[in-house]
Amino acid sequence: NQMDRYLLEPVADGYDAVVPDPMQRGVRNVFENLAYPRYLVSDLVQLKFGQAAEHTGRFLVNSTLGLGGLIDVAKHLGWERHSEDFGTALGHHGVPTGPYVVIPFLGPSNMRDGFSRIVDNFLSPVPWIAAETSSDNDAVAITLGMTALDVIQTRADLDEAINAAQEASLDYYLFIQSAYAQRRFAVIHDLQIEDSPTALENEADPFAEDEAFDEAFAGEGGYGLGNE
């Protein structure tokens, strides 16, 4: 919480103040496009072949007509994004969550999703592209810079929702734990947020729903910082 308050929040606020909204939208779209390998592997592991084809179509269209992913052209063609990662694939096959954890800079997670981040990072094309086009030192700098930009953009996107959750919840840490568990359950089982039950078998035990839930955790794995 201190790390978020004194580092991430002010950096994200400064970023939000100086970077225009259209540029931020382009940044979000680029990172979404770069997530294609992760989406594809998750789709195939879950045998969601139709969704794999849709994600492939999105990637091809946005990488070409969308100028490398800056513009989400595929969305206007009716190809909506589906949140997927290796953690949702493991959850689909019944792998339990394990204990709830908070990862510095990355926010809420659990043992299953924390492990899946290693696989997802390996599937990211950024380190591979950087390694092929730059020296070793430059490749590391590019990879770390892209990761930092992704974290800052995500934190800037969720600034209002996080502030609302902090003000509205009696125990912010428990709220984040509950929201994260329910969001992941909904993604794994292809549910809308309102369809997600308040007691989840094999998931972390959520405590209550909150109006800020959908807004705060509509992104990839969700983001929020509890007590480090």
Side-chain angles (χ1 to χ4, degrees):
N1 198 21
Q2 299 302 316
M3 184 182 299
D4 179 59
R5 180 179 302 171
Y6 295 113
L7 180 59
L8 283 179
E9 184 176 2
V11 170
D13 288 345
Y15 171 85
D16 192 41
V18 301
V19 179
D21 288 344
M23 189 175 296
Q24 291 192 40
R25 190 179 309 114
V27 171
R28 284 192 295 269
N29 289 341
V30 167
F31 281 115
E32 152 68 16
N33 203 49
L34 289 173
Y36 165 69
R38 183 183 76 207
Y39 293 158
L40 179 63
V41 169
S42 179
D43 289 337
L44 295 178
V45 170
Q46 296 177 77
L47 305 181
K48 295 180 178 179
F49 300 117
Q51 189 166 287
E54 189 169 355
H55 275 137
T56 300
R58 282 182 53 81
F59 175 74
L60 293 175
V61 168
N62 288 341
S63 296
T64 53
L65 299 179
L67 304 178
L70 280 171
I71 305 171
D72 190 356
V73 177
K75 180 178 181 179
H76 299 289
L77 298 177
W79 294 346
E80 295 290 340
R81 174 177 65 88
H82 303 277
S83 294
E84 297 288 350
D85 53 53
F86 197 68
T88 62
L90 294 178
H92 176 82
H93 290 290
V95 176
T97 64
Y100 173 78
V101 296
V102 178
I103 303 175
F105 294 105
L106 300 179
S109 187
N110 53 53
M111 294 301 292
R112 181 192 66 203
D113 293 343
F115 167 77
S116 78
R117 286 180 183 272
I118 299 174
V119 178
D120 292 336
N121 289 337
F122 178 80
L123 293 171
S124 171
V126 174
W128 303 101
I129 295 173
E132 290 295 326
T133 58
S134 309
S135 65
D136 290 344
N137 290 337
D138 289 342
V140 172
I142 292 171
T143 301
L144 292 178
M146 290 290 285
T147 301
L149 178 60
D150 190 12
V151 171
I152 292 169
Q153 180 64 65
T154 302
R155 182 59 177 83
D157 289 339
L158 298 177
D159 187 55
E160 292 185 7
I162 289 175
N163 290 337
Q166 289 174 334
E167 294 175 0
S169 55
L170 295 177
D171 190 319
Y172 179 61
Y173 181 83
L174 294 184
F175 164 76
I176 292 298
Q177 182 178 1
S178 170
Y180 181 79
Q182 294 192 51
R183 172 63 192 173
R184 295 300 286 171
F185 183 92
V187 171
I188 290 168
H189 297 280
D190 297 323
L191 302 174
Q192 297 297 319
I193 297 302
E194 58 269 18
D195 296 331
S196 182
T198 56
L200 313 177
E201 184 178 0
N202 295 325
E203 299 292 322
D205 186 25
F207 297 87
E209 302 232 25
D210 188 285
E211 291 180 359
F213 167 69
D214 188 21
E215 182 179 0
F217 288 87
E220 282 313 303
Y223 181 92
L225 293 175
N227 299 325
E228 265 77 57

